[in-house]
Amino acid sequence: LWFIGFQFAQAMLFAVEEINNSTDLLPGISMGYKIHDACASIARGVTVALALANGNEEVFAPSMGGCTRSAQVQAIMGETFSSPSMAISTVIGPFYIPLISHFATCACLSDKTKYPSFLRTIPSDYYQSRALAQLVKYFGWTWVGAIRTDDDYGNNGMATFTETAQQLGICLEYSVSVFRTDPPDKIRQIVDIIKASTSKVIVTFLSPTDLYVIIQELSLHNMTGYQWVGNEGWIFDFHTAAMDGHHILDGAIGLSIPKAHVSGMREFILDVKPLNSSSNKLFTEFWEKLFDCKFKLSESSDGNPKECTGHEDVTVVQNSFTDMSLMPIFNNIYKGVYAVAHALHNILSCNKTCNKKVKLDPFKILQHIRKIRFTTKEGDEVYFTENGDPAAKYEIINWQPTENVNAHIFIFLIATLSTQVPLSVCSENCPPGTRKILQKGKPVCCYDCLKCAEGEINSITCVRCHPEFWSTEGRNACVQKEAEFLSYEEIMGALLTAASLFGTCMTAVVAFIFFRYRHTPIVRANNSELSFLLLFSLTLCFLCSLTFIGRPSEWSCMLRHTAFGITFVLCISCVLGKTIVVLMAFRATLPGSNVMKWFGPAQQKLTVLGFTLIQVIICILWLTISPPFPFKNFKELKDKIILECALGSAVGFWAVLGYIGLLAMLCFILAFLARKLPDNFNEAKFITFSMLIFCAVWITFIPAYVSSPGKFSVAVEIFAILASSFGLLFCIFIPKCYIILLKPQKNTKKNMIWRLPRLGGAGRVWGHSQDSSWAPQSWSAPRGMRKLNLCE
């Protein structure tokens, strides 16, 4: 005799009597009932369900009249377990007889295509399984074992848990099934698996009887210290805790149906009296087992049971029948009976009276039960979802031992009372800055830790930082990369700025000296206006290097290359003009030659303007088609952002440089041809040296620029600009300043004249004319020599 099953029956009787005594619900209608024992057997459950549906009093006697009569019951309360409920619902489902279970939680029963008439007042394991997985994840247990009852309840519940656990990153080291009738060898095998495992958390989907089989074997091996995670089937059962004498389940945590109270139900269940009648054998056996007695027997000296009187006090007995810890399940039975009553109340259009002429059929009752929504006297709202399930509500229970070593107390809380949560992982969490490397042949929860590469931070795997960020030394965070550009604040930028300003000041000093001594022969030689224009262009060359320093912007990027290209062309054009004048003047040696009229001051200025205008056009086309723009270079350096100016059009950039190079080479060639002309006044040798320096600087600039990283490429370009500018300034103007300031005796017209030797001692004189250009002068030949009249 199972006392708990008897309690379930008493709970149903309490609800029926309460409804029959109510004037509000089904007034004038009395509910009746039939009780059959399914004996926890699927076959027996199907048999008694058919008996209830057909109204056969003799359960095992075949019906002589067939199954043509209307059903004798309008709804069936039960079954307690999932597997019998599935079988019963499969059989009676086609007849749409409502089957309302108080304890069958298998999620499979929510399938209305298979079980169209099944409803329940306990939540589906669909929610419990997922809630258990979330509970395990909450405590950080990623390496667990699993034990389940080998039936529909355990297999379906564990399957859902396993699916959810995998989604949450939880791994099962083992998953075994057990049934109460399994042979001892299989039970010992399960215990050996638990003993050999490294996980310290055991998740269960077990019935109390199946759990008891496992606990007995574990106690023989003294296997304590495991963290048990229990399903509602046993976690809230006082009897399960009481049987754990070896404290195998200490600290267990799990989900339970919320606590409930139904006023008057406890007193009703305990108010039971035996009926001394052979027709009520059930109550007689119940009473004899409850008090360990026998009717019409007396206690003897050899320990035989005493005689039952039928007046024993039930309240003094301490056993599973008097325990009310299953009140939440009793409440589920209570709500199921009331659901049927409310459906009948609506069908019969009850108000003060009911319409008793309405013909009842199970399908109509089933449809109304699915739609009911009411509140019990304790304030619980009752309704069913489209799958026939109630709203899912759970409490979390933690077991802690009391002073009584044979008992536990239930603690309703979110976290365990222990000072430290047990640890159950296959591999420790990887430290910051490392990533997980799965161990071959093992689940994903087993891994080794490998340090992340530079520029990555750890997560489940190493994740590369955003291009503008870089990982810290510990690889645990991404920080903003340092922006690198040639700035005025750093030493290199300051030195280049100082060099640029120094060159500008020197050029200004030279210009001042030339202006102060502008009427002297050495200044007036070879067109002084070109000299001042050259000094002006050199000043711009020194200053344009400053545009390369500082954070690149849209305007600075466009200005730096175009300003550099135009100023250098202006500078080289002036040098080229001076070179052509010197060369042509000394090459015009024939009497009556008219070549120099094509290289006068006006033509020289037009030449400079023409050469410069070509570069201006190139720059305008470059800026119009694809101008330079600020660019963040993430590839050059891993841990820094290089702020630089992208060329835009590479063709435009190299066209600017190529044109400068072309003019420089032309100037160098012409100056080289004129290098042996008279030293007194001739600039050709100095121009040759300056162009040699200029070309050398810019030829070496290209590989240095290409190979220099980051801001150093900008520094190389600035250095090339400054070096070539200083080369022109020193080679062309410093020798003249030396004569002007330190050798003024050489700054005379006499020293600016050179005689060209001829046959017979004759020669011609070159002197300075009033138009600031060097030209042959008339001279009186000595006796015996021919006089040449040379044009200026």
Side-chain angles (χ1 to χ4, degrees), residues 628-699:
F629 58 91
F631 172 70
K632 293 181 179 180
N633 188 340
F634 300 108
K635 298 180 180 179
E636 194 73 32
L637 298 177
K638 295 184 293 185
D639 57 345
K640 293 181 180 180
I641 302 175
I642 300 177
L643 302 183
E644 58 185 24
C645 289
L647 296 178
S649 172
V651 175
F653 174 73
W654 292 110
V656 168
L657 285 184
Y659 185 66
I660 295 175
L662 178 64
L663 292 182
M665 291 300 298
L666 178 61
C667 186
F668 173 74
I669 293 171
L670 294 179
F672 181 79
L673 295 176
R675 69 189 184 283
K676 293 183 179 180
L677 294 179
D679 293 339
N680 297 47
F681 55 90
N682 180 28
E683 296 182 301
K685 187 178 296 185
F686 299 121
I687 292 175
T688 303
F689 286 138
S690 65
M691 286 296 101
L692 185 63
I693 294 173
F694 186 92
C695 294
V697 167
W698 286 101
I699 290 174

Side-chain angles (χ1 to χ4, degrees), residues 10-266:
Q10 286 288 87
M12 186 189 74
L13 299 182
F14 170 76
V16 170
E17 290 196 12
E18 190 176 78
I19 293 169
N20 289 340
N21 293 328
S22 172
T23 57
D24 297 326
L25 192 61
L26 292 176
I29 300 292
S30 294
M31 293 184 69
Y33 54 86
K34 290 182 180 181
I35 300 177
H36 289 281
D37 190 0
C39 301
S41 166
I42 295 177
R44 176 79 178 183
V46 172
T47 301
V48 298
L50 288 174
L52 290 171
N54 290 306
N56 296 329
E57 293 297 333
E58 296 295 328
V59 176
F60 298 103
S63 175
M64 301 302 295
C67 298
T68 58
R69 293 178 298 169
S70 62
Q72 298 299 303
V73 296
Q74 307 303 326
I76 299 177
M77 308 307 300
E79 223 269 3
T80 301
F81 303 108
S82 294
S83 292
S85 296
M86 294 167 65
I88 295 171
S89 184
T90 301
V91 172
I92 68 171
F95 304 108
Y96 296 102
I97 299 176
L99 177 68
I100 305 177
S101 176
H102 51 280
F103 206 52
T105 58
C106 181
C108 56
L109 286 165
S110 297
D111 187 352
K112 295 301 101 179
T113 60
K114 293 182 179 180
Y115 314 106
S117 64
F118 179 81
L119 303 103
R120 52 185 159 196
T121 52
I122 188 171
S124 165
D125 286 337
Y126 174 87
Y127 305 103
Q128 181 183 194
S129 300
R130 283 159 173 76
L132 283 176
Q134 293 285 351
L135 186 65
V136 171
K137 180 65 175 179
Y138 175 83
F139 287 106
W141 300 323
T142 59
W143 187 237
V144 301
I147 306 177
R148 68 188 185 278
T149 296
D150 193 8
D151 60 8
D152 296 296
Y153 167 72
N155 292 331
N156 282 276
M158 188 56 70
T160 305
F161 170 84
T162 303
E163 178 185 356
T164 307
Q166 290 176 347
Q167 295 172 356
L168 297 176
I170 301 169
C171 300
L172 270 63
E173 184 179 13
Y174 61 87
S175 180
V176 295
S177 62
V178 64
F179 200 70
R180 62 187 74 93
T181 58
D182 285 340
D185 289 344
K186 183 177 180 182
I187 304 300
R188 283 193 293 271
Q189 184 181 4
I190 292 174
V191 172
D192 291 339
I193 292 174
I194 297 174
K195 186 186 297 185
S197 66
T198 58
S199 58
K200 297 301 180 183
V201 174
I202 303 175
V203 180
T204 64
F205 244 91
L206 295 169
S207 65
T209 51
D210 297 324
L211 176 65
Y212 183 65
V213 173
I214 296 294
I215 295 301
Q216 278 186 314
E217 189 67 25
L218 290 175
S219 63
L220 296 177
H221 296 78
N222 195 26
M223 293 177 62
T224 60
Y226 288 89
Q227 176 64 56
W228 292 79
V229 179
N231 54 301
E232 42 73 29
W234 64 265
I235 193 69
F236 77 108
D237 187 3
F238 170 81
H239 310 292
T240 305
M243 73 178 183
D244 183 24
H246 292 79
H247 292 263
I248 303 296
L249 301 175
D250 278 8
I253 192 170
L255 300 178
S256 169
I257 304 169
K259 292 182 294 184
H261 172 72
V262 182
S263 57
M265 181 176 286
R266 181 180 186 277

